[in-house]
Amino acid sequence: MRLILLGAPGAGKGTQAEILSRELGIPTISTGNILRAAMKAGTPVGIQAKSYVEAGKLVPDDVIIGIIQERLAQEDCKEGYILDGVPRTIPQAETMEAMGVQIDCALSIEVEDQVIVERMAGRRTCKDCSQTFHVVNNPPKTEDVCDFCGGELTIRKDDAPETVKARLEVYHRDTEPLKQFYAQRGKLKTVDNQSSIEATTAEIRKALGI
């Protein structure tokens, strides 16, 4: 299955992508994680992206598409993949189509803005491996310590309320139109946010027929 996950920042795309990746045996391709790794390493792409991310703005298309091209060429993507965080704009989606990137379904997780702001305030991210947790919905076994690598959990600058609101404005203006883009191609499915991660996963399974 070749799947795109759509939804506002903090809608739970990354969490659901990990679950689907395990169940379907296909990789999750998260541009957010790739970019954060590049920013931490201080690579040219990372330095270029950092100023945009910290201001709650979108990273330019040429940076994103270059990352996706490299990743989809790898062996583990031959049986399918889950795209989390890309495309973010209609021009990106059109470029990906032109590149021959095939998509079976675009799944949109629907969450109200106020719920997003409250949720992001509780999100914690590992400084070392970029794994995400939530103090209420998905807490680590030990406070402020990553379950996976033992790294320190921190609040990302782009999870602060004022930055989240700016990111939501960008999402509604630039990314939400993708729902219509994929609906026109008969590939859009939507899932309403549920009270728990598990309940949302169950709704996604129903929508995808898995």
Side-chain angles (χ1 to χ4, degrees):
M1 179 176 288
R2 296 162 297 194
L3 179 67
I4 290 173
L5 289 183
L6 299 175
K13 300 185 298 297
T15 299
Q16 296 299 333
E18 285 182 14
I19 294 168
L20 288 169
S21 176
R22 290 194 298 269
E23 292 189 358
L24 298 172
I26 56 178
T28 295
I29 300 169
S30 169
T31 51
N33 286 346
I34 294 170
L35 286 170
R36 279 190 287 276
M39 286 189 287
K40 184 179 178 184
T43 67
V45 170
I47 293 168
Q48 190 178 2
K50 188 172 184 179
S51 62
Y52 291 93
V53 171
E54 290 188 347
K57 296 180 180 178
L58 293 177
V59 178
D61 285 358
D62 58 341
V63 177
I64 296 295
I65 300 303
I67 289 172
I68 295 303
Q69 279 181 311
E70 290 178 355
R71 185 66 185 87
L72 293 185
Q74 295 181 20
E75 187 69 24
D76 63 341
C77 291
K78 289 194 173 179
E79 298 301 319
Y81 42 80
I82 302 166
L83 293 177
D84 170 19
V86 67
R88 289 194 179 186
T89 64
I90 287 177
Q92 281 186 5
E94 291 172 340
T95 299
M96 288 171 60
E97 280 191 347
M99 285 166 46
V101 177
Q102 300 295 317
I103 297 301
D104 298 315
C105 174
L107 181 78
S108 178
I109 303 174
E110 305 290 318
V111 187
E112 293 180 1
D113 284 7
Q114 188 54 42
V115 173
I116 293 284
V117 174
E118 293 169 2
R119 181 183 292 177
M120 297 285 262
R123 188 156 77 168
R124 302 292 183 269
T125 303
C126 178
K127 289 175 68 175
D128 296 327
C129 73
S130 298
Q131 189 71 34
T132 58
F133 299 85
H134 192 278
V135 295
V136 176
N137 298 330
N138 184 32
K141 294 172 184 174
T142 303
E143 187 176 356
D144 294 331
V145 178
C146 178
D147 292 354
F148 296 87
C149 75
E152 179 187 356
L153 300 183
T154 61
I155 300 173
R156 285 167 38 199
K157 287 183 180 179
D158 49 345
D159 286 342
E162 62 275 12
T163 309
V164 172
K165 289 174 182 175
R167 292 173 71 198
L168 284 169
E169 288 180 12
V170 171
Y171 167 75
H172 290 305
R173 184 187 70 232
D174 295 339
T175 304
E176 200 163 30
L178 283 170
K179 292 196 289 188
Q180 181 66 18
F181 179 88
Y182 287 110
Q184 290 172 345
R185 287 154 175 76
K187 295 183 178 180
L188 180 71
K189 295 182 186 295
T190 60
V191 170
D192 289 331
N193 180 54
Q194 304 296 310
S195 58
S196 69
I197 291 171
E198 293 77 14
T200 302
T201 302
E203 290 300 308
I204 288 173
R205 287 196 193 102
K206 287 181 192 174
L208 295 178
I210 59 174

